[in-house]
Amino acid sequence: GRKEKKREYRGLWNVQINAAVREHGMKYSDFINALKKKNIVLNRKTLSELAKEEPEVFKKIVEEVKK
């Protein structure tokens, strides 16, 4: 149903974000935690799309979070 589909997409986004973040030497959980601490409000769908389609922008987000 609809709720199961939402669950599956969120899991997919998490995997995509994790793969992209690992390329920059971080773990998914550390990345999400650092985003919240820096008050950077981007949802997982947006982060996943940035990681796939705009790797340079995603890299800048990761660098900002690492500071």
Side-chain angles (χ1 to χ4, degrees), residues 1-2 5-9 12 18-19 21 24 27-28 34-35 42-44 49 52-53 55 59-60 62:
R2 287 177 289 144
K5 181 179 171 184
K6 290 178 186 179
R7 239 179 283 140
E8 289 174 3
Y9 271 108
L12 176 65
N18 187 30
V21 167
H24 300 288
K27 291 191 293 185
Y28 172 81
L35 280 176
L42 290 171
N43 63 21
R44 286 167 175 80
E49 289 175 1
K52 285 190 298 186
E53 298 170 13
K59 181 180 179 180
K60 289 180 181 179
V62 173

Side-chain angles (χ1 to χ4, degrees), residues 24-46:
H24 300 288
M26 283 185 85
K27 291 191 293 185
Y28 172 81
S29 59
D30 295 337
F31 177 68
I32 294 297
N33 188 30
L35 280 176
K36 289 181 182 178
K37 285 183 180 175
K38 294 271 186 171
N39 289 325
I40 299 174
V41 182
L42 290 171
N43 63 21
R44 286 167 175 80
K45 180 180 180 181
T46 305

Side-chain angles (χ1 to χ4, degrees), residues 51-64:
K52 285 190 298 186
E53 298 170 13
E54 302 288 340
E56 289 300 316
V57 175
F58 188 78
K59 181 180 179 180
K60 289 180 181 179
I61 293 170
V62 173
E63 289 172 357
E64 180 65 32

